[in-house]
Amino acid sequence: MKTLFFTVFLLIGYILLPAQQQTGRTLITDVNIFNGKDERIKQQMDILIEGALIREIKPAGTIDKAGAWVINGSGKWLMPGLIDAHWHTFLVGAGFAELLQGDVGFLHTLAASEAGKTLLRGFTTVRDVAGPAFGLKKAIDEGIVSGPRIYPAGAMISQTSGHGDFKLRSDRPVKFGGHPSVAEVLGASTIADGPDEVRIAVREQLRLGASQIKLACGGGIASFYDPLDVNEFGTEEIKAAVQAAGDWGTYVTVHIYTPEGIIRAVNAGVKCIEHGNLANEEAIKLIAEKGVWCCMQPLTDTSRPQYDADRNAKLKQAAEGTNRVFALAKKYHVKLAFGTDKLFSRTAGADQNNQLVKMLRWFTPFEVLRMATSANGELLQLSGNRNPYPGKQLGIIEEGAYADMIVLNDNPLQKLEILKDPEHNMLLIIKNGVIYKNLLP
């Protein structure tokens, strides 16, 4: 009886282990593949995964199954794992009051929980553009917790009174004898004034492991003091950040809404604009000419219950520019990235997939999916020497690329709306060759 029990125990444990821990080879048969780059679906294909990489993609029945864990794709649709290029791993899962008053250990636990949910929504990679994500990234990479690949920026660098300044009105700046704000203590933002301080702030985030640098170069919706129309950091301060990041082989992305701020930042050498909803034609044309990326969210709501009157006024101002800027971006063929920028709520992350589908207001399903896969993968390559996942491509399905993929119930190029319900429509989720969800035989 003991022998039988032990045998059954081992068998159950073997079945429950991820496939890659069993054989190192996983073969997914009979799937229709969207590769993330072009609109043509390759039908009835097999795909072989070895370790973390895609090894072979061939017509169904032509790949040797020997030694492989075989998953029957049953004629479903396979595509690259989704990439969110504007995510806040630490800031998304907690309310604003919790962040200002909460226990640090509890906040990091919330972030870890949300990371697992992010992965099960089909987002296998995120570019984190403000927040203390370094520890969680390490835990995910080492397999301690589940979650997406993280490209961390660390603390957002802000000037005094800028988008990252969350001091109370009664607080004095550190330079005048005050104390750092909770946001600075947590590592969500850091205050720097003048080129020399900006260099120090950039180098500090690089020391901690940043793959890119985030500057706040203009007013923000969620911040306390800065109207949306203001510009922050002078040209020399931005150039100092660009130089310091460039010395480490990576780049600067900036939070900015105004056309004047965009033009200043682009001319100073930044490689990506976050938001940009107030941009005019001159600013968008310059972005296109310089080959700079733009990551603007599908912002249309003009009020949110958690915001006061001032913040809702700023939200309305930004939302009113969304249609115009997307139209200009298409006119001038701007490099567009997809990012959601969800923040400050236990339920905010659940809206991530809805934001992707919302892009259909301005783009075709193929354009949306390309943004959230191969285009975002191209953007991530700007991290250069600081790329935490170097050597292989993300956001595409091709031989030699990282094995990050999802299998869907239906064709996303025809029914993008199925992504709004990942629980029922995402049948298989694989990141780095490891199976995290499988409803296929």
Side-chain angles (χ1 to χ4, degrees), residues 21-96:
Q21 294 182 26
Q22 297 168 46
T23 66
R25 303 178 82 237
T26 299
L27 179 63
I28 306 170
T29 64
D30 187 24
V31 284
N32 305 310
I33 297 177
F34 165 59
N35 65 11
K37 297 191 300 183
D38 57 63
E39 210 162 352
R40 185 171 64 92
I41 296 283
K42 292 184 178 180
Q43 297 184 331
Q44 294 183 297
M45 304 296 290
D46 289 355
I47 180 166
L48 178 66
I49 299 167
E50 287 187 354
L53 304 179
I54 298 171
R55 185 59 59 198
E56 291 184 75
I57 304 174
K58 291 182 178 179
T62 61
I63 295 179
D64 183 9
K65 298 180 180 180
W69 176 270
V70 181
I71 298 175
N72 183 0
S74 304
K76 303 300 183 182
W77 283 260
L78 183 146
M79 62 170 284
L82 297 167
I83 302 172
D84 192 325
H86 191 121
W87 191 243
H88 298 283
T89 309
F90 181 81
L91 302 174
V92 61
F96 197 70

Side-chain angles (χ1 to χ4, degrees), residues 20 38 84 107 164 205 213 222 247 258 300 427 431 438-439:
Q20 282 64 41
D38 57 63
D84 192 325
L107 294 174
Q205 299 315 306
I213 295 298
D247 287 344
T258 68
T300 56
L427 307 177
K431 188 201 79 176
N438 183 19
L439 301 181

Side-chain angles (χ1 to χ4, degrees), residues 366-378:
F366 168 65
E367 290 171 331
V368 175
L369 288 172
R370 182 176 58 185
M371 264 186 261
T373 56
S374 62
N376 277 358
E378 184 182 345

Side-chain angles (χ1 to χ4, degrees), residues 16 56 89 114 136 264 374 391 396:
L16 293 178
E56 291 184 75
T89 309
E114 184 60 42
L136 181 54
R264 179 190 295 177
S374 62
I396 60 172

Side-chain angles (χ1 to χ4, degrees), residues 23 123 135 139 145 172 206 225 252 264-265 280 302 306 362 379 391 406-407 426:
T23 66
F123 286 87
V145 298
R172 293 173 60 80
L206 293 169
Y225 310 114
V252 172
R264 179 190 295 177
N280 59 16
T302 57
Q306 69 268 34
W362 304 279
L379 169 61
I406 55 181
V407 172
M426 292 185 182

